[in-house]
Amino acid sequence: MVRTSKGGRPTLEAVAARAGVSRATVSRVVNGGAGVRDEVRERVRRAVTDLGYVPNSAARSLVTRRTGAVAVVIAEPEARVFADPFFGRQLRGISRELSAADIQLLLLLQETRADCDRVGRYLAAGHADGVLMFSLHRDDPLPAMAEASGLPTVYGGRPGWADTGRGPRPLYVDTDNRDGARQAVRHLRERGRRRIAVITGPLDQTSAQDRLDGYRDALAPAAPDPRLIADGGFTAQGGERAMAGLLAAAPDLDGVFVCSDLMASGALRTLRAHGRRVPQDVGVVGYDDLDPAAWTDPPLTTVRQDVEEMGRLMARLLLRRLRADAEAPGDELSSVVTAARLVVRESG
Amino acid sequence: MVRTSKGGRPTLEAVAARAGVSRATVSRVVNGGAGVRDEVRERVRRAVTDLGYVPNSAARSLVTRRTGAVAVVIAEPEARVFADPFFGRQLRGISRELSAADIQLLLLLQETRADCDRVGRYLAAGHADGVLMFSLHRDDPLPAMAEASGLPTVYGGRPGWADTGRGPRPLYVDTDNRDGARQAVRHLRERGRRRIAVITGPLDQTSAQDRLDGYRDALAPAAPDPRLIADGGFTAQGGERAMAGLLAAAPDLDGVFVCSDLMASGALRTLRAHGRRVPQDVGVVGYDDLDPAAWTDPPLTTVRQDVEEMGRLMARLLLRRLRADAEAPGDELSSVVTAARLVVRESG
DNA sequence: ACACGGCATGAGAGCGCTCTCAGATCTTCT
DNA sequence: AGAAGATCTGAGAGCGCTCTCATGCCGTGT
């Protein structure tokens, strides 16, 4: 690769000199090449490859005010982010969609409160054109920071304030958690289960709350026995513990709806350790239908949500929003809620 | 938040005007504040907070030639990246170390060949100050691109050309895969296993090759029976299939060393499906000791490598390298190889 | 009193790019 | 042939920041 005499990377100027044209013309060629004579364009293209020219992104975004990157903010204080395949799948969907649009993915992990400031500063500094934000808990300060930074934002999972009327109306992608939960619990009932427990996620997340509401719906009009409700915190260990608690509080239970596959894997272990056979003694239904669900013993009946697709939808929504801001500011976009579907295997 | 009259974010100029000083002074305060009188510094600080000023990163890195970000490139064409907790853990280590240094993490996923160009362009465009690169396969074009971009690079796992003398001497962090494999296989032998098979990863990765070499070491001086070697591609499904193949080719096997926990989970399923009891009939040892290893039935004996720590080490090495380039260019850094340790559970 | 060194501050030049606008060139039509 | 229009190209002004260098100010030593 040929460099400029100054030893750094070649600049537009260098390419222009080599091609015998002005900077402006090179710029035009590099950015699409419209309105440049074929012969000149070819000359410039050759100069570009000869010199190994790559536009300097800082200089470009300084003037265009766009960075060609989107920040993905994951706010999980716990080790959960990487233990749960959920995030991975979603990231994958996002990554696919963004690379198709030649947009870069910036991953910002926020674990501590201090990280939160850092993330806020980062967003405000204009490193990204938009934000995808995940797995918010109630009272999370991040949405406010995103709002303050003025960046278009799409949420993964309905934010808590979405329907309260307070705050701006957020753009989000979610699955119909409540309906999925209803399907799961109805399925257990149809199989003859009478004492159906639930292991929930942290209830300050809407997805966890919605699934619990779905559980209630399916039992209505009867009110659920509070001894049949335990919080598993969306982790495998939490699932183990919650299951143990349930067995102690309600030894006669014959079904469990576990609000994530990861927790369900823990619950299955506890059941096995207590000598309960699945599905003969206790029916178990999970939620997510991530790969490991099919690998448990017995294979897990669960509620499928296409997580990768949700990631893709989030990215797509944000990209549309970015384009809309540039071209048709009035355009109203709306949130997406995808359907959930029961997948029956052997656990319940 | 107060904005400038032009509607955009406030600039240095605006802060300077409000504080009644020059741009240069504001810049000094923002970047540490050395050599500015206390009283002036306070005035500037107040102006900064009043206006909600945040430095524009593009402008800054245009002149400093640094971005305050490090790119993490994961080159996995398969769905493996997110199915295997391995990457997640490593990312987590990296993320921790980088945020402590207030450096941003840019995640670049490369799945297709086209992505490779995109990643190369991205790096060359100067979006990052350095690169962390993972899970390379032989003949991967990425290292060459990283090299060409002139960015300091640290590899996760010893790159294939590290000891060949060809190419530049790479900086990497790895575990002692060969020794870990030796420990695993020796353990199986000590437990009386005589026909020990191996399920390898893709052999164009050094980690997979090293583990296979360790397997050979432990059987030496006897040469391994080729019917006892199968490639599981580092995926759970691959592990299932490889195990089935081994059982068909060598029904008398009584031990398996599986080169990743994820593959081992697959192998256990296949063994169960074939009615082989673990560990009574067949002893199984995995590799990685990621969370799910303890959850299999029976819990997996495996080789522990502290993946998160490896991530941290990678980040630390890169950061040192970046500082070295800035301050003491002659400074020689060296790669790190961490120890592996057998963790005995119940599977073998 | 003056010269001198040290410190705090400001003026101004650029970093590499995009984009507007005006000028140059080439068509095409009357 | 000349003018109107369309097409192509270049000059130049910034984008927001950092950093060098010159300048002004102070205290100290002679």
Side-chain angles (χ1 to χ4, degrees):
Chain A
M1 180 185 311
V2 185
R3 299 279 170 96
T4 63
S5 54
K6 276 177 59 193
R9 307 198 64 81
T11 70
L12 252 202
E13 192 78 49
V15 177
R18 183 174 181 111
V21 296
S22 73
R23 267 193 345 261
T25 299
V26 178
S27 177
R28 276 190 278 261
V29 172
V30 169
N31 296 295
V36 178
R37 231 174 341 134
D38 286 3
E39 184 243 330
V40 175
R41 181 172 26 212
E42 253 329 293
R43 222 164 59 220
V44 172
R45 289 246 166 88
R46 201 159 30 243
V48 165
T49 50
D50 285 358
L51 295 174
Y53 169 76
V54 179
N56 176 310
S57 58
R60 176 178 279 174
S61 67
L62 178 56
V63 33
T64 59
R65 276 124 196 297
R66 285 180 308 98
T67 63
V70 162
V72 173
V73 179
I74 302 187
E76 271 298 329
E78 300 303 317
R80 223 197 111 203
V81 186
F82 290 123
D84 198 329
F86 182 86
F87 293 97
R89 289 308 281 260
Q90 204 143 2
L91 260 184
R92 190 177 153 86
I94 291 172
S95 167
R96 290 237 167 126
E97 194 69 24
L98 291 182
S99 18
D102 214 17
I103 298 277
Q104 274 308 320
L105 186 162
L106 270 53
L107 183 66
L108 308 186
L109 298 175
Q110 186 224 331
E111 294 195 270
T112 67
R113 218 61 174 192
D115 284 351
C116 181
D117 282 359
R118 201 170 44 82
V119 168
R121 272 204 316 278
Y122 190 79
L123 295 179
H127 279 100
D129 299 334
V131 185
L132 295 174
M133 206 168 271
F134 274 111
S135 155
L136 290 175
H137 295 255
R138 225 198 319 275
D139 306 327
D140 201 305
L142 270 174
M145 313 213 72
E147 199 56 41
S149 74
L151 292 176
T153 304
V154 172
Y155 298 90
R158 176 171 51 85
W161 72 93
D163 308 315
T164 61
R166 289 179 297 120
R169 182 201 295 264
L171 220 47
Y172 62 88
V173 172
D174 204 354
T175 39
D176 194 339
N177 287 300
R178 189 160 181 167
D179 182 60
R182 264 192 305 249
Q183 290 181 47
V185 178
R186 278 197 195 127
H187 170 78
L188 285 167
R189 299 195 67 180
E190 282 159 13
R191 294 271 167 120
R193 313 290 174 182
R194 287 292 158 255
R195 289 279 283 168
I196 302 174
V198 62
I199 298 180
T200 72
L203 294 177
D204 62 347
Q205 296 191 348
T206 55
S207 60
Q209 183 63 56
D210 289 354
R211 289 174 201 178
L212 178 57
D213 289 345
Y215 166 81
R216 289 215 168 89
D217 290 351
L219 296 183
D225 181 343
R227 283 171 301 180
L228 292 176
I229 302 181
D231 185 340
F234 273 150
T235 69
Q237 275 211 342
E240 274 183 347
R241 268 198 295 266
M243 190 70 242
L246 289 171
L247 285 174
D252 59 333
L253 62 82
D254 61 0
V256 198
F257 166 49
V258 192
C259 292
S260 83
D261 288 349
L262 197 64
M263 293 195 295
S265 75
L268 287 176
R269 258 172 282 141
T270 300
L271 286 168
R272 193 186 300 138
H274 283 72
R276 305 287 181 113
R277 291 169 306 161
V278 176
Q280 294 89 333
D281 303 331
V282 179
V284 177
V285 177
Y287 206 110
D288 282 340
D289 196 30
L290 296 165
D291 284 352
W295 304 340
T296 54
D297 180 32
L300 199 62
T301 294
T302 188
V303 179
R304 177 177 185 83
Q305 46 177 346
D306 189 338
V307 178
E308 192 170 324
E309 176 68 11
M310 285 173 66
R312 253 200 298 269
L313 286 171
M314 283 181 69
R316 212 172 297 164
L317 201 52
L318 182 60
L319 291 176
R320 273 223 296 277
R321 173 78 199 280
L322 293 176
R323 275 181 217 124
D325 282 358
E327 291 157 24
D331 204 2
E332 255 322 306
L333 294 167
S334 62
S335 297
V336 180
V337 176
T338 64
R341 199 185 86 236
L342 189 72
V343 177
V344 179
R345 295 204 182 87
E346 292 164 34
S347 68
Chain B
M1 179 186 310
V2 184
R3 300 281 171 96
T4 63
S5 53
K6 276 177 60 192
R9 306 198 66 80
T11 70
L12 252 202
E13 192 78 49
V15 177
R18 185 176 179 107
V21 296
S22 73
R23 263 189 351 256
T25 299
V26 178
S27 177
R28 277 183 204 108
V29 173
V30 170
N31 296 296
V36 178
R37 234 177 335 136
D38 286 3
E39 184 244 328
V40 175
R41 182 173 22 215
E42 254 328 294
R43 220 165 59 220
V44 172
R45 289 245 168 87
R46 201 157 32 242
V48 165
T49 49
D50 285 357
L51 295 174
Y53 170 76
V54 179
N56 176 310
S57 58
R60 176 178 279 174
S61 66
L62 179 56
V63 32
T64 60
R65 276 124 195 300
R66 286 181 306 97
T67 63
V70 162
V72 174
V73 179
I74 302 187
E76 272 299 329
E78 300 304 316
R80 225 198 109 201
V81 186
F82 290 124
D84 198 330
F86 183 86
F87 293 97
R89 289 306 280 261
Q90 205 142 0
L91 260 184
R92 190 178 154 86
I94 291 172
S95 165
R96 289 237 169 126
E97 195 68 25
L98 292 181
S99 21
D102 213 17
I103 298 277
Q104 273 308 320
L105 188 164
L106 269 52
L107 184 66
L108 308 187
L109 298 174
Q110 185 223 332
E111 294 195 90
T112 66
R113 219 59 175 192
D115 284 352
C116 181
D117 282 0
R118 200 171 46 82
V119 168
R121 272 205 315 279
Y122 190 79
L123 295 179
H127 279 100
D129 299 334
V131 186
L132 295 173
M133 206 168 272
F134 274 113
S135 157
L136 291 175
H137 296 254
R138 222 198 323 274
D139 305 327
D140 201 305
L142 270 175
M145 314 213 72
E147 201 55 43
S149 73
L151 292 176
T153 304
V154 172
Y155 298 91
R158 177 171 51 84
W161 72 93
D163 307 315
T164 61
R166 289 179 296 120
R169 183 201 294 265
L171 220 48
Y172 62 87
V173 173
D174 204 354
T175 41
D176 194 338
N177 286 301
R178 189 160 179 166
D179 182 60
R182 264 191 305 250
Q183 290 182 47
V185 178
R186 280 196 194 127
H187 170 79
L188 286 167
R189 298 194 67 180
E190 282 159 16
R191 295 270 166 120
R193 312 291 175 183
R194 286 296 158 253
R195 289 280 283 167
I196 302 174
V198 61
I199 298 180
T200 72
L203 294 178
D204 61 348
Q205 296 191 348
T206 56
S207 61
Q209 183 65 55
D210 290 354
R211 289 174 200 177
L212 177 58
D213 289 345
Y215 165 81
R216 288 214 168 90
D217 290 351
L219 296 184
D225 181 342
R227 282 170 302 181
L228 292 177
I229 302 180
D231 184 340
F234 274 151
T235 69
Q237 275 211 341
E240 274 184 348
R241 268 198 294 265
M243 191 69 242
L246 289 172
L247 286 175
D252 58 334
L253 63 80
D254 61 359
V256 198
F257 167 48
V258 192
C259 292
S260 84
D261 288 349
L262 197 63
M263 293 194 296
S265 75
L268 287 176
R269 258 172 283 140
T270 300
L271 287 168
R272 192 186 302 138
H274 283 71
R276 307 285 182 114
R277 292 167 306 159
V278 176
Q280 295 89 331
D281 303 331
V282 179
V284 177
V285 177
Y287 206 110
D288 282 341
D289 194 29
L290 296 164
D291 285 352
W295 303 342
T296 54
D297 180 32
L300 200 61
T301 293
T302 188
V303 179
R304 180 177 182 82
Q305 46 178 348
D306 190 338
V307 178
E308 191 170 325
E309 176 67 11
M310 286 175 64
R312 252 200 300 267
L313 287 171
M314 283 181 70
R316 213 172 296 162
L317 202 53
L318 182 60
L319 291 176
R320 273 224 295 279
R321 172 77 199 281
L322 293 176
R323 274 180 220 126
D325 282 358
E327 290 156 26
D331 205 2
E332 254 323 304
L333 294 168
S334 62
S335 297
V336 180
V337 176
T338 64
R341 199 184 88 235
L342 188 73
V343 176
V344 179
R345 295 205 182 86
E346 293 164 34
S347 68

